[in-house]
Amino acid sequence: HKSCPHFRAMQEQQRRDLARKKEYLRRADESCRAVLHQCRAAGGYLGRCPIDRRLCPALYYLYSMSRRFFPMVRPLMTDTVFLAQKALPTDAGDIAVADDLLDTLKAHEDGCVGMAANMIGVNKAIIVFDNDGTPCEMFNPVIVYRKGLYLAEEGCLSLQGQRRARRHRTIKVQWQDRQLQTHVRNFTGWTAQIIQHEIDHCSGILI
């Protein structure tokens, strides 16, 4: 029964255990971020160490667990001068930016279906978007073909209100994944519209 001293003691023990787990994960998150910073500074293959389980399984586990329990939701950038800048190319050292971008998109999923890195204050060519319920990411995306011009009404988390935008019903996109392998694929309809909006962000184009 809830009034039983043993029951209250068990609840208190569970709370202490949960607090210890949270503190462990918080410290693991801090350690992972410190190592990530060192890896970026060192350059080379170390830039991928916190993500690539083949290079460092233990660090990969700590990093993935910290992301799971402590998502990194970044504040939204609304400065139009910053948003109007063309994004810089992405490399392997920017993987954590993509993770932060996915976490931020998840936090705003009720009113947002795609984001670009400059929307969280990072001027790199990375986009993430919802593809029929599956979160996707693209590094250095470029539209290489488009057809079926139409006008759409769009909104943006970084801007107020709705605006008209020129979109195409079918596009072919070339991009890289987080291992920097190149992909090319056709997209149509709603997903194509989302991708066009986010690639415009990478080009410094605001709706």
Side-chain angles (χ1 to χ4, degrees):
H1 192 273
K2 292 183 178 180
S3 62
C4 175
H6 294 294
F7 180 83
R8 291 198 299 270
M10 183 178 66
Q11 279 191 318
E12 183 61 30
Q13 183 62 44
Q14 289 175 340
R15 282 194 290 267
R16 287 195 297 266
D17 289 343
L18 180 60
R20 280 196 295 267
K21 289 178 181 178
K22 287 184 176 180
E23 177 63 16
Y24 169 79
L25 290 170
R26 184 189 67 80
R27 293 182 180 180
D29 182 70
E30 290 178 353
S31 298
C32 289
R33 291 185 179 278
V35 172
L36 176 59
H37 178 76
Q38 294 170 1
C39 290
R40 283 177 176 171
Y45 79 91
L46 288 175
R48 295 163 64 174
C49 181
I51 305 299
D52 194 333
R53 70 175 71 213
R54 295 168 300 178
L55 293 177
C56 189
L59 185 56
Y60 175 89
Y61 174 77
L62 287 175
Y63 183 85
S64 60
M65 289 295 289
S66 69
R67 300 299 309 203
R68 177 182 176 186
F69 288 95
F70 298 99
M72 193 66 176
V73 179
R74 302 276 288 270
L76 298 176
M77 169 60 66
T78 57
D79 183 351
T80 56
V81 175
F82 179 85
L83 294 170
Q85 298 180 68
K86 187 173 182 178
L88 299 173
T90 302
D91 56 36
D94 297 315
I95 292 173
V97 176
D99 288 335
D100 291 352
L101 200 54
L102 287 167
D103 288 345
T104 307
L105 176 63
K106 176 68 175 177
H108 294 279
E109 63 183 352
D110 289 341
C112 182
V113 290
M115 297 188 73
N118 64 358
M119 295 176 67
I120 59 171
V122 180
N123 192 29
K124 288 298 187 81
I126 307 172
I127 69 171
V128 298
F129 57 94
D130 177 86
N131 185 12
D132 293 329
T134 301
C136 298
E137 61 188 17
M138 292 181 174
F139 294 75
N140 302 313
V142 178
I143 298 175
V144 296
Y145 173 79
R146 64 193 82 197
K147 71 174 182 179
L149 179 66
Y150 68 99
L151 287 178
E153 289 280 340
E154 295 180 353
C156 181
L157 283 181
S158 294
L159 302 171
Q160 296 289 330
Q162 298 276 322
R163 294 172 174 83
R164 282 195 169 189
R166 294 162 62 90
R167 299 296 179 220
H168 292 81
R169 301 189 188 283
T170 301
I171 59 173
K172 178 181 288 186
V173 184
Q174 177 180 296
W175 78 96
Q176 294 172 309
D177 58 27
R178 58 176 57 204
Q179 284 76 43
L180 300 184
Q181 299 297 310
T182 300
H183 304 265
V184 179
R185 179 182 164 187
N186 290 332
F187 294 90
T188 60
W190 178 234
T191 301
Q193 183 175 333
I194 299 170
I195 294 172
Q196 290 171 82
H197 181 106
E198 306 313 332
I199 290 181
D200 273 358
H201 268 295
C202 294
S203 299
I205 299 172
L206 304 178
I207 58 172

